[in-house]
Amino acid sequence: MTPRYSIFSLLRNAASYHEDWPEAWRSPEPKPSYEVVIVGGGGHGLATAYYLAKEHGVTDVAVIERGWLGGGNTGRNTTIVRSNYLWDESAQLYEHALKLWEGLSQDLNYNVMFSQRGVMNLAHNQHDLRELNRRISANRLNGVDSEFLTPARIKAFCPIIDLRAQGRYPVLGASLQRRGGTARHDAVAWGYARAADARGVDIIQECPVEGFDISNGKIQAVRTGKGRIEARKVGIVVAGHSSVLAGQAGFRLPVQSLPLQALVSEPVKPVLDTVVMSNAVHAYISQSDKGELVIGAGVDPYVGYGQRGGIAVTEETLAAICELFPMFRRMRMLRLWGGIVDVCPDASPILSKTPVEGLYINCGWGTGGFKATPGSGHVFAHTIARDAPHPLNAPFKLDRFHSGFLIDEHGAAAVAH
Ligand SMILES: Cc1cc2nc3c(=O)[nH]c(=O)nc-3n(C[C@H](O)[C@H](O)[C@H](O)COP(=O)(O)OP(=O)(O)OC[C@H]3O[C@@H](n4cnc5c(N)ncnc54)[C@H](O)[C@@H]3O)c2cc1C
C-alpha cells in the first residue's frame, strides 16, 4: 500500500493544528443487516474483522462497540508480547501471533511501534529454575526462540537489576525470549480499525449489544442500543464481559472475571531497554517510549466488574520492583488503573463455535491476550468464515471443559502477561 500522507500534507496538518485531519475510519449508522457482526471493538474484534475482509473476502461486516475503540483491555494493558508458552498448542498459537506482529506495521501501513527488546522471566528459587528450563526446552522443540541466562549474563543484559545475595528474592537465572517485546496498544486498535474500514467494514461505537435473537438454535440478530441488527453470523469478542454476553445468548462459560491492575511512573531518561518479569514476586516492568516505567501487578483475588483493583496488590508489586531495582525507590507513580480479565480454569483462551449455530466466541485470554491479538483475529476470522476452526485454534474449543483436554498454562501465564 502507498502511504496516505506525504511530507507536504504532514506540514500542512501541523500548521493547521490538526483541525483538517481526515477521519481515520468512518462512523456510519448501522445497516439493518450484515453477513457478520463482531461484538467488541478491542484489538481482537477489530483484527477479526480485518482478517475476515482481507483473508476471506467477507466485507459485509460490522464491529459493534459499546464504548470507544480500545477502551477495554486493549487500551489498558502493559503491552508485553512473547510466545514462550509451555504446551505445543499454545506455543504454536502465540508464535503464529508473534510472526504476524513482526510484519504488522507494514501489513496495516500503520506504525504499531512493535519493539523486540526481549522479555526476561526471572527465577528466584530451585522450583522456578526447573520450571524455566523445562519451558525453554519445550519452546525450542516448538521453534520458539528461548535461552537461559545465568546471573552474570542477566547483569550484562540488564545492568540496573540488583543481584546482590542479600536480596529477599535472590535471582538464580532467567529465561530470555529476544524476539519478545512491547507494542503501542492504542495504535494496534487504530491500525486494525483503519485497515478494516478501508476494506469496507463498518465500525460502530457507543452501541452496546443488549441481547441476541435466536430461533431454532440459530442466531438471527443482535439487539443493540441503536436497534436490532440482523446477522448470519456473530462473533463475541468482549474480554472481561464474556460471561455476560454468553448468558444473554443462553449458554454458560467456565470463566472468572477478575480485576487486573497496572501503573506508570513519572517519565525518566532511558534506563531499561528490555522487559523484566517475575512470576514469584508478582511483578513485571518495562520502560515506555515516553520514559515512564510501566509496571504490572497480579490479579485481585476476587471476582468483580469495577475497573480498579485493591491497593494491597499494588503495594506488594511496588515492594518487589524496588527490591529488584533499588534505583527506582524514589520515583513517583503517576497513574494507576485496572481492567477486567476473563480467566479460564486452565489459563488458556476459548476460540470456538458455541451451542448456538452461527454464534462464535473468542474469550478467556486472562492476563495475557494482547500478545495474541493478530494471531487470535487471524484464526478466529477463519473459524467464522469457514464455520470450522483453523488448525491452530482447534484445541481451544469450548467443549474441552467437558472432554478434559485442558491446556494448562498456569506456569507460563500466571502473573505473567
Ligand atoms: C492491566 C492489564 C495488563 C495487561 N497486560 C498484558 C500484557 O502485558 N500482555 C498481554 O499479552 N496481555 C495483557 N493484558 C491482557 C490483554 O489486555 C487482553 O487479553 C486483551 O487486550 C484482550 O483484548 P480484546 O480485544 O479481547 O478485549 P478488549 O480490548 O477488552 O475489547 C473488548 C471490547 O468489548 C466491548 N464490550 C463489552 N461488552 C460489550 C457489549 N455488551 N456490547 C458491545 N461491546 C462490548 C468493550 O467495551 C471492549 O472495548 C493485560 C490486561 C490488563 C487489564
Side-chain angles (χ1 to χ4, degrees), residues 80-83 85 94 97-98 101 367-374 416-417:
I80 296 170
V81 175
R82 61 188 174 88
S83 63
Y85 280 67
Y94 288 101
L98 184 47
W101 276 112
T367 59
F370 178 71
K371 66 177 70 66
T373 305
H417 298 280

Side-chain angles (χ1 to χ4, degrees), residues 68-127:
W68 65 96
L69 299 189
N73 289 345
T74 297
R76 294 167 185 272
N77 78 88
T78 46
T79 82
I80 296 170
V81 175
R82 61 188 174 88
S83 63
N84 54 355
Y85 280 67
L86 176 65
W87 297 107
D88 296 354
E89 295 86 346
S90 335
Q92 285 159 18
L93 181 61
Y94 288 101
E95 180 62 16
H96 178 57
L98 184 47
K99 290 201 172 107
L100 288 172
W101 276 112
E102 286 170 335
L104 194 59
S105 294
Q106 289 77 8
D107 184 26
L108 300 178
N109 188 25
Y110 200 97
N111 188 359
V112 299
M113 297 169 74
F114 180 47
S115 159
Q116 292 181 293
R117 58 186 65 185
V119 175
M120 220 170 29
N121 285 76
L122 303 179
H124 300 284
N125 52 48
Q126 290 302 324
H127 172 79

